[in-house]
Amino acid sequence: MAEASSIPYNIRPNKVADRELFLSALSCFSAIENLKHYQYIGLGGPFLEDFKLIHIRLGLKKMVCVESEMNTHLRQKFNAPLSDMKFVHGAMEWYLDENEINEKSIIWLDFTAPGELVEQIMLFAVQASRLPIGSIVRLTLNANNTSLGTKEDAVKEDSSYRDPAKLKEWRMERFKGLFGDLTPSTLSSDEFTYKAYGKTLLRVLKLAVEREILGLPRQIKWLLCTHYADGQPMVTAMCRIAPENESEEVEKRIQEWEFYSTPNAPLTVDLPSLSAKERLEIGDGNREINLDYTIPSSKLSQDPVAMMKRFYRVYPHFSRVEL
Amino acid sequence: MTKNETVKTSPTKQFFVSMLTRDINLDDAILDLIDNCIDGALRSSGGRDPEYSKFEISIHVTEDKFTISDNCGGIPKDVAINYAFKMGRSADDNRDKDAETIGMYGVGMKRALFKMGEYSTVYSNTREGAFRVEIKPDWMQSESWDEIPLQNIEPRGNAYGTEIEVNKLTQGVSKLFKAEVFVNDLRKSVSEHFMVFLQKGLIIRINDEAVKPIILELLVHDDPKLPAPFVYERVRDGVTVSIAVGHNTSSAIDSDDAFEQNRDVRSSGWTVLCNDRAILVGDKTRLTGWGDNVPVWHGQFSVLTGIIEFRSSDASKLPVTTTKRAVDTSSDIWLEAFKKMREAMAVWTGYTNKWKNVKIVDRKSHWNGAVSKSLHDVIRTVIATRDMTSKQDGGIEYNPRIKDALPVPQSTTQSTRRISFSKPKSEIDRVAEYLFENTEVNPGAVGEECFRIILDEAKV
């Protein structure tokens, strides 16, 4: 089964843009904390793109890459951007359980498989409650609503589920069964469409985190939450762990960052597929565009020009290099 | 010889308040206040069958303040002066002797106010007029149990009801009220505990959002030859005990799908009601008999729901603890009912055992045309359409197994067994690639294809 992480980035522009937003969020945060002494823990994929960029852009040197697949783990070691990077062969959940993290860290739990959403969300929530104050945690989740059950599964149970409205309700019931006490108390079946499901997962995530930190002398402050779809729809959530008595000034500065977003109001990153010429024509989306055709909207049905206006600074540019 | 002297024995206010608030959670304390509103609605309807859709309760929680307001009739002035602010119920307080309320000890409101903060205001408007009582921080801090002034005031609007406001919240309470997860959980608790009232039309809003009830219903056919729940009803010592156990309205399951096996259907298991309050919802533990002459609950039983209701105009006879949120398992009325609960559930666990290896579509066909009904409607339907058996204990019962009304699978249907095992993903991918030239095939399909290939070889 092809792993999402090994699919070339040039056919995952939204993922690339999302990563740029992540780096931008860390840059914003670096105005408050000196990130040079942080450690970065992540999953990496075979090419360690995230690690490279974090080292180059932010200067972090202490990095830990955790990988469960042996072959990928060996490729990572070969592709290491830094000679003293640590490579761990094992599951991320195991690594975080076995190793007490006592220093400020940035952890990105970049999960792609839809099958273990509850475990993934709980792993994130537990880290939010355990990591040292000043740390940052980020989670990527697969937000494909068909992971709750395909239409075929539903129709096998009852042919009435051919009706899209009933199918949504069926998925909502399966969601409630899956998430149990984590389920938000106000849910409607409209939250289980392809476009809306990601935001529903972010609601669950927010509640799970709040529950884990209740009573602890810390606060969770959200930084960046995104919703995008290259192949599969995905959502991300990034938070910083702040002291209980943090000055309001700090949060005020963070909220001034242009891509500041929360689980209740995530950024939809739905970049249109454009040629270089079209991109030059649209530019930053703020001038008159001379195209006698419409640019089709992408999977999350956002207006392409509005998307360019918002995200032109992080829109990826790919070029071919011959070696 | 020196004169005999006396020693002081009265409790300190600090001790009393501290002990009172210690043994209840914050959300349970808020549920107590809602209970009081509902009791008010019951009293203003003469103690019986209020039209709940006319009543509304509104709760607002913020990090600075708590308010609850209702239009449930208000607190009469004489009750406020003589009973409502006393710590504990007076022997001569017979307000609810004929009403099916649940309050017993006369501490719910005070306990909630003290739990939340230092400064409370209670406003009430009734036919006799409006008043306000303020419990101020200096009263809380003083040792003496001074009477608190009651101010007669002009009514705010025409509705007869009560509004309670708590300010100067404790730090812990303020933090909880600020957390979305607390409000989320409170909403869930309200939707469960007051599900019957909400289904009858009562409106409860939390931070302006109406709470929806959990729907607890069982499938029943009107035709007496077709399936119906196990039903039992009995009156003992002024308590009516009603039981119904049967098929709930969730999707039937019988699948290798691990999702289904781990699914927690909220309404499955036992729900215990006392005077319309849900004390337990969807209990799947030994407390309600699972694992005790009845199998331990698991996914196969997610289609089963048991509902037991205890109803009495004397709340002290109900099998409920002082917090009103747990069953008093040592009470005689519970111990007796428990045996019947196990008997009723065993009928239905046996039913699911017979059907567990049969296709869903065959099982569901017996429920086509069945209607989902609440506990009382189920009991009324069964009593009206079926022959009930009179039991030695004075109760009446309908047992669908004894009455041969539970469908059984046809013997010609071949029974199936489940094969399941785990293998490393890399090996599954390799086999999928080999069989289908595609690694994105469902592991179940890979296993089935392997079985099919070997079965064909075995048949040759």
Side-chain angles (χ1 to χ4, degrees):
Chain A
M1 205 171 298
E3 287 288 346
S5 55
S6 59
I7 297 172
Y9 276 112
N10 60 340
I11 57 172
R12 290 198 291 160
N14 288 299
K15 171 82 181 180
V16 172
D18 171 72
R19 199 180 55 221
E20 285 296 324
L21 290 171
F22 169 51
L23 292 164
S24 177
L26 290 177
S27 296
C28 168
F29 183 62
S30 68
I32 294 155
E33 289 269 3
N34 186 351
L35 292 183
K36 282 208 175 81
H37 306 294
Y38 275 55
Q39 72 168 340
Y40 175 70
I41 303 172
L43 292 162
F47 310 122
L48 301 169
E49 292 292 330
D50 309 327
F51 288 84
K52 281 181 208 160
L53 286 168
I54 281 173
H55 172 64
I56 291 167
R57 301 261 189 101
L58 301 166
L60 268 73
K61 289 188 180 152
K62 197 168 177 197
M63 299 203 281
V64 180
C65 178
V66 181
E67 175 56 51
S68 56
E69 294 277 340
M70 176 52 90
N71 205 52
T72 309
H73 168 69
L74 293 172
R75 286 183 82 179
Q76 287 168 343
K77 285 171 100 169
F78 178 82
N79 289 319
L82 281 183
S83 50
D84 52 359
M85 231 176 105
K86 187 175 170 191
F87 292 93
V88 175
H89 177 225
M92 178 62 89
E93 307 88 298
W94 163 84
Y95 177 78
L96 293 174
D97 248 344
E98 292 287 309
N99 295 276
E100 193 166 337
I101 297 173
N102 296 317
E103 56 192 291
K104 289 182 187 177
S105 303
I106 299 166
I107 299 184
W108 184 2
L109 306 170
D110 189 0
F111 296 125
T112 52
E116 293 166 352
L117 289 172
V118 177
E119 291 80 0
Q120 291 163 3
I121 285 173
M122 286 317 300
L123 182 67
F124 177 87
V126 165
Q127 297 318 305
S129 71
R130 270 197 208 158
L131 288 171
I133 304 264
S135 297
I136 286 186
V137 201
R138 189 178 202 227
L139 176 68
T140 302
L141 288 174
N142 186 305
N144 194 340
N145 63 337
T146 60
S147 67
L148 293 169
T150 61
K151 191 173 176 180
E152 292 70 32
D153 295 333
V155 167
K156 256 192 238 174
E157 271 193 33
D158 192 323
S159 58
S160 68
Y161 292 127
R162 279 186 219 283
D163 177 347
K166 290 212 158 153
L167 179 62
K168 282 190 291 188
E169 283 177 13
W170 178 78
R171 285 190 172 134
M172 182 172 70
E173 291 307 313
R174 286 171 75 93
F175 179 90
K176 286 179 185 174
L178 182 65
F179 285 100
D181 284 340
L182 291 177
T183 310
S185 58
T186 52
L187 266 187
S188 79
S189 58
D190 287 335
E191 294 180 64
F192 292 88
T193 61
Y194 178 89
K195 288 176 199 160
Y197 180 55
K199 292 175 188 171
T200 311
L201 282 179
L202 288 175
R203 284 179 69 189
V204 170
L205 173 76
K206 182 169 186 275
L207 290 174
V209 169
E210 282 192 10
R211 186 170 278 122
E212 279 304 305
I213 66 154
L214 258 185
L216 296 179
R218 58 178 53 197
Q219 309 181 65
I220 293 304
K221 296 290 188 184
W222 300 97
L223 262 169
L224 171 70
C225 298
T226 62
H227 184 201
Y228 65 88
D230 287 317
Q232 305 256 323
M234 309 293 279
V235 285
T236 75
M238 177 179 177
C239 67
R240 61 184 182 92
I241 301 169
E244 201 178 12
N245 52 2
E246 183 183 74
S247 145
E248 282 174 12
E249 274 309 307
V250 175
E251 179 63 7
K252 216 168 138 188
R253 279 168 66 189
I254 298 272
Q255 289 189 14
E256 283 169 6
W257 176 53
E258 71 176 294
F259 299 115
Y260 170 79
S261 43
T262 64
N264 288 342
L267 289 178
T268 303
V269 182
D270 188 27
L271 298 175
S273 225
L274 299 172
S275 66
K277 206 171 169 187
E278 284 168 341
R279 202 178 316 143
L280 288 169
E281 177 62 29
I282 294 173
D284 62 2
N286 279 322
R287 57 171 192 244
E288 197 180 316
I289 297 164
N290 293 314
L291 293 173
D292 56 7
Y293 54 87
T294 43
I295 306 280
S297 56
S298 305
K299 285 175 182 278
L300 298 177
S301 303
Q302 300 293 305
D303 172 48
V305 175
M307 283 289 109
M308 282 306 290
K309 200 167 170 176
R310 191 85 169 85
F311 298 112
Y312 71 93
R313 285 172 50 218
V314 298
Y315 194 102
H317 301 262
F318 299 112
S319 42
R320 194 197 338 242
V321 173
E322 303 282 353
L323 285 176
Chain B
M1 196 167 140
T2 52
K3 222 169 68 172
N4 284 342
E5 293 171 274
T6 57
V7 297
K8 295 190 198 318
T9 60
S10 56
T12 63
K13 194 188 279 180
Q14 192 187 17
F15 166 82
F16 190 91
V17 169
S18 156
M19 286 297 113
L20 195 65
T21 55
R22 205 168 277 262
D23 69 349
I24 192 163
N25 293 331
L26 179 60
D27 47 352
D28 284 345
I30 296 173
L31 297 189
D32 270 354
L33 293 176
I34 299 174
D35 262 327
N36 287 350
C37 300
I38 292 172
D39 288 348
L42 204 52
R43 283 184 210 112
S44 64
S45 308
R48 283 255 171 256
D49 296 329
E51 208 177 314
Y52 282 107
S53 56
K54 288 189 176 151
F55 297 104
E56 193 164 321
I57 301 166
S58 182
I59 294 169
H60 280 92
V61 301
T62 68
E63 59 182 315
D64 302 311
K65 192 163 74 167
F66 169 88
T67 54
I68 179 169
S69 58
D70 68 63
N71 62 347
C72 299
I75 305 172
K77 202 200 297 191
D78 64 306
V79 169
I81 290 170
N82 296 307
Y83 303 115
F85 293 88
K86 261 183 158 172
M87 305 299 152
R89 186 156 232 161
S90 296
D92 62 344
D93 181 358
N94 293 319
R95 279 176 293 152
D96 298 322
K97 66 177 173 56
D98 294 320
E100 290 178 349
T101 70
I102 200 162
M104 283 182 268
Y105 303 105
V107 295
M109 181 179 75
K110 281 78 69 178
R111 183 165 59 182
L113 302 186
F114 297 154
K115 179 93 183 167
M116 285 193 266
E118 292 179 9
Y119 193 147
S120 305
T121 308
V122 179
Y123 160 85
S124 170
N125 183 27
T126 66
R127 279 176 225 283
E128 289 84 36
F131 65 81
R132 180 173 61 222
V133 172
E134 287 180 274
I135 306 175
K136 294 183 181 173
D138 52 5
W139 183 89
M140 297 285 279
Q141 280 145 27
S142 85
E143 272 303 315
S144 55
W145 295 89
D146 296 330
E147 290 182 344
I148 300 170
L150 181 146
Q151 299 168 270
N152 291 303
I153 58 175
E154 284 302 311
R156 298 179 215 156
N158 298 323
Y160 296 138
T162 308
E163 182 178 302
I164 295 173
E165 188 177 293
V166 184
N167 291 284
K168 288 195 186 310
L169 300 177
T170 66
Q171 197 181 31
V173 167
S174 173
K175 222 171 159 184
L176 280 173
F177 281 174
K178 201 174 155 188
E180 192 182 321
V181 67
F182 175 82
V183 177
N184 186 70
D185 288 350
L186 177 65
R187 218 174 253 126
K188 279 189 192 173
S189 298
V190 170
S191 80
E192 286 181 0
H193 191 68
F194 299 108
M195 67 168 92
V196 174
F197 300 104
L198 290 166
Q199 275 186 258
K200 288 180 180 175
L202 176 70
I203 298 171
I204 302 178
R205 291 184 210 282
I206 297 177
N207 288 356
D208 298 318
E209 200 154 344
V211 176
K212 291 183 202 158
I214 288 181
I215 304 297
L216 201 67
E217 289 178 338
L218 300 174
L219 290 175
V220 59
H221 278 288
D222 288 336
D223 184 340
K225 292 194 278 299
L226 295 177
F230 182 113
V231 158
Y232 170 85
E233 199 160 70
R234 184 193 169 206
V235 180
R236 174 194 150 162
D237 188 28
V239 182
T240 304
V241 180
S242 309
I243 294 176
V245 181
H247 201 302
N248 59 37
T249 52
S250 68
S251 308
I253 61 137
D254 179 24
S255 159
D256 290 330
D257 185 349
F259 173 96
E260 288 291 6
Q261 290 181 17
N262 292 325
R263 198 157 147 242
D264 173 16
V265 180
R266 208 78 187 97
S267 60
S268 164
W270 277 103
T271 293
V272 179
L273 303 170
C274 287
N275 284 354
D276 284 339
R277 275 83 167 173
I279 308 301
L280 287 180
V281 175
D283 188 84
K284 302 167 179 67
T285 71
R286 210 174 172 87
L287 176 66
T288 51
W290 296 99
D292 180 357
N293 281 2
V294 168
V296 169
W297 190 94
H298 57 280
Q300 179 184 312
F301 305 136
S302 68
V303 294
L304 302 181
T305 288
I307 312 171
I308 178 166
E309 182 194 61
F310 299 88
R311 191 177 279 284
S312 176
S313 55
D314 182 350
S316 66
K317 293 182 178 175
L318 299 172
V320 68
T321 63
T322 58
T323 61
K324 294 181 267 179
R325 237 66 69 196
V327 173
D328 177 8
T329 54
S330 60
S331 80
D332 285 344
I333 196 97
W334 172 262
L335 289 170
E336 203 179 86
F338 184 72
K339 297 189 191 68
K340 190 55 72 175
M341 286 165 69
R342 281 188 320 195
E343 183 190 330
M345 189 55 78
V347 166
W348 282 94
T349 53
Y351 158 81
T352 63
N353 277 336
K354 290 200 173 76
W355 284 91
K356 74 177 173 191
N357 294 317
V358 180
K359 284 184 206 161
I360 293 171
V361 65
D362 293 337
R363 185 189 337 165
K364 280 175 78 88
S365 64
H366 294 280
W367 294 99
N368 291 338
V371 180
S372 63
K373 294 188 180 181
S374 64
L375 171 70
H376 289 287
D377 288 341
V378 158
I379 293 177
R380 272 199 284 273
T381 301
V382 171
I383 289 175
T385 57
R386 280 132 172 113
D387 290 329
M388 304 295 287
T389 306
S390 296
K391 307 297 289 184
Q392 276 191 337
D393 59 10
I396 52 169
E397 180 179 297
Y398 174 78
N399 184 331
R401 182 171 59 196
I402 291 175
K403 299 290 185 185
D404 236 354
L406 284 181
V408 287
Q410 288 178 3
S411 54
T412 51
T413 307
Q414 198 176 51
S415 72
T416 59
R417 294 289 182 272
R418 180 173 299 147
I419 301 171
S420 75
F421 51 89
S422 298
K423 285 288 171 194
K425 185 176 168 305
S426 54
E427 289 181 9
I428 298 172
D429 284 350
R430 193 172 294 171
V431 175
E433 181 68 37
Y434 180 78
L435 291 173
F436 301 107
E437 293 181 354
N438 178 6
T439 56
E440 306 222 14
V441 176
N442 187 296
V446 175
E448 280 197 30
E449 183 64 8
C450 293
F451 188 90
R452 186 196 65 75
I453 291 169
I454 301 303
L455 179 63
D456 284 347
E457 283 183 21
K459 282 177 183 171
V460 165

